[in-house]
Amino acid sequence: MKKNLQTEFSTRQYMLSKDFEIYYYNDRNLPPHVEMHAHNYYEFYFFLEGNVKIQVRDQQYPLQYGDLILIPPHVYHRAVVQDMELPYRRFVFWISQEYCNHLLDISSDYVYLQQYVQIQNDYIFHNDRITFNTIQSRILRLIEEQRSDKFGRAPQITLCVDDLILHLNRLVYERNNPQNPQVIESLYQNVIQYIEDHLDETLSLDVLASEFYVSKYHIAHVFKENMGLSIHQYITKKRLTACREAIQGGGNITRTYQMFGFGDYSSFYRAFKKEYGISPKDCQDMVSLS
């Protein structure tokens, strides 16, 4: 690693820039224990060398070359140096919430990883050497551009930052969403079956993501691609069908809509009338008259 790319270690835990900062650290004889702390920005931490664990909340993770750790805002964490004699090398990339919101306005693809980490509380991502070398080349290009005085430096830095963030998002998304048609079809069918079997229970993207151990964004995408409806629309239609059948079978309207997940009668009434063109009471009366 080029010596002039290195940054002298600082205990500062706040950003000087309003958008992003990136550092390459190579240290020895640091204090073995850093106090637990949190930021109001995202911290991307890339581990290169050392005998170090990272603690996030109450969980410690031993680190190996190529690990990426993403710490969201307001999540307490610290590095625990196990051997102070060994070199401790890492890249640290800070990016503000405001800049992430700016990228979100461009495309949600820029923030898939940030959202995934906050929802799943899954902070560490292992990379093989080839994959991490690709990440590292983008980091070094950004640092070198920051240290340069070339024409077009400012827009090039922005391009480098956005490219790095998008690359990391794509990497994690593709790991979470393998493009295997059989896997996708199996997930889709299993989600449909789970919905059918649990219409009387809480059904949300978070529940489904937890049940099938995949990102809720992936479930939503796969479902919309296959069904042409959002999961929320599909669940509502299935619940309305179940309610109509129960009402036509003589079921009590109030108990029926409560049983199938409608929080109040007014929302149930509006959805039922929109779907079938008649009220639940009219539906019940039609059956009794026939």
Side-chain angles (χ1 to χ4, degrees):
M1 196 75 66
K2 296 179 181 178
K3 185 74 173 178
N4 66 341
L5 299 183
Q6 184 176 329
T7 306
E8 183 177 350
F9 178 70
S10 168
T11 57
R12 172 173 59 86
Q13 299 296 344
Y14 57 88
M15 290 179 63
L16 299 175
S17 165
K18 71 180 183 67
D19 293 330
F20 50 82
E21 298 176 15
I22 191 162
Y23 303 102
Y24 164 54
Y25 294 120
N26 184 359
D27 301 298
R28 291 176 186 264
N29 298 317
L30 289 177
H33 298 292
V34 176
E35 293 297 319
M36 293 289 285
H37 60 281
H39 317 126
N40 62 355
Y41 48 82
Y42 291 93
E43 179 173 272
F44 291 80
Y45 173 107
F46 306 87
F47 183 72
L48 293 167
E49 185 180 7
N51 187 353
V52 180
K53 292 183 178 180
I54 194 88
Q55 180 173 348
V56 186
R57 301 188 192 275
D58 58 355
Q59 182 73 38
Q60 288 195 5
Y61 305 89
L63 299 180
Q64 60 191 38
Y65 176 84
D67 282 350
L68 159 64
I69 300 92
L70 175 53
I71 310 296
H74 314 301
V75 171
Y76 279 85
H77 62 284
R78 64 172 179 163
V80 181
V81 181
Q82 304 287 103
D83 188 336
M84 293 180 287
E85 297 298 317
L86 293 176
Y88 173 28
R89 298 195 300 122
R90 68 274 187 209
F91 296 110
V92 177
F93 177 42
W94 293 342
I95 180 167
S96 69
Q97 296 181 74
E98 291 75 16
Y99 195 79
C100 284
N101 290 335
H102 157 71
L103 292 176
L104 176 60
D105 288 340
I106 299 172
S107 171
S108 60
D109 294 348
Y110 280 107
V111 296
Y112 167 84
L113 173 56
Q114 294 91 305
Q115 292 172 337
Y116 173 83
V117 166
Q118 290 185 307
I119 292 167
Q120 299 294 331
N121 295 325
D122 187 8
Y123 306 103
I124 185 165
F125 304 89
H126 303 296
N127 298 290
D128 59 48
R129 189 166 291 272
I130 294 174
T131 301
F132 186 69
N133 285 346
T134 304
I135 297 172
Q136 185 173 230
S137 68
R138 284 173 162 81
I139 294 173
L140 293 175
R141 183 184 177 201
L142 171 57
I143 296 175
E144 288 174 342
E145 197 65 44
Q146 282 192 313
R147 303 288 177 90
S148 79
D149 57 0
K150 295 178 181 178
F151 174 80
R153 171 182 174 275
Q156 185 63 56
I157 288 173
T158 300
L159 289 174
C160 288
V161 167
D162 295 358
D163 176 63
L164 173 59
I165 294 170
L166 188 58
H167 180 74
L168 297 173
N169 275 270
R170 174 180 286 180
L171 206 65
V172 174
Y173 178 86
E174 289 182 347
R175 288 182 190 174
N176 290 340
N177 305 282
Q179 296 305 304
N180 182 324
Q182 291 181 334
V183 172
I184 292 173
E185 179 67 18
S186 174
L187 173 63
Y188 165 66
Q189 294 294 342
N190 287 338
V191 169
I192 284 181
Q193 189 60 55
Y194 184 87
I195 291 171
E196 293 275 359
D197 295 341
H198 297 82
L199 281 175
D200 58 342
E201 300 177 17
T202 299
L203 288 172
S204 66
L205 276 173
D206 287 330
V207 168
L208 294 171
S210 175
E211 181 68 25
F212 293 100
Y213 302 101
V214 295
S215 152
K216 68 178 184 178
Y217 305 103
H218 178 51
I219 290 179
H221 174 73
V222 167
F223 200 90
K224 188 70 178 286
E225 284 287 305
N226 283 272
M227 183 60 71
L229 298 171
S230 71
I231 283 189
H232 175 72
Q233 290 171 322
Y234 178 78
I235 291 171
T236 299
K237 283 181 176 292
K238 295 299 291 184
R239 283 177 164 164
L240 287 171
T241 299
C243 286
R244 184 185 63 178
E245 291 173 353
I247 290 170
Q248 290 175 337
N252 177 273
I253 291 176
T254 299
R255 284 199 297 270
T256 296
Y257 80 74
Q258 291 176 342
M259 179 190 304
F260 289 107
F262 290 94
D264 57 78
Y265 181 73
S266 61
S267 62
F268 168 64
Y269 176 91
R270 288 194 302 270
F272 195 97
K273 187 78 179 285
K274 181 179 179 181
E275 185 73 11
Y276 300 116
I278 59 174
S279 71
K281 184 68 169 62
D282 288 341
C283 178
Q284 190 175 59
D285 291 344
M286 287 173 63
V287 173
S288 62
L289 292 173
S290 62

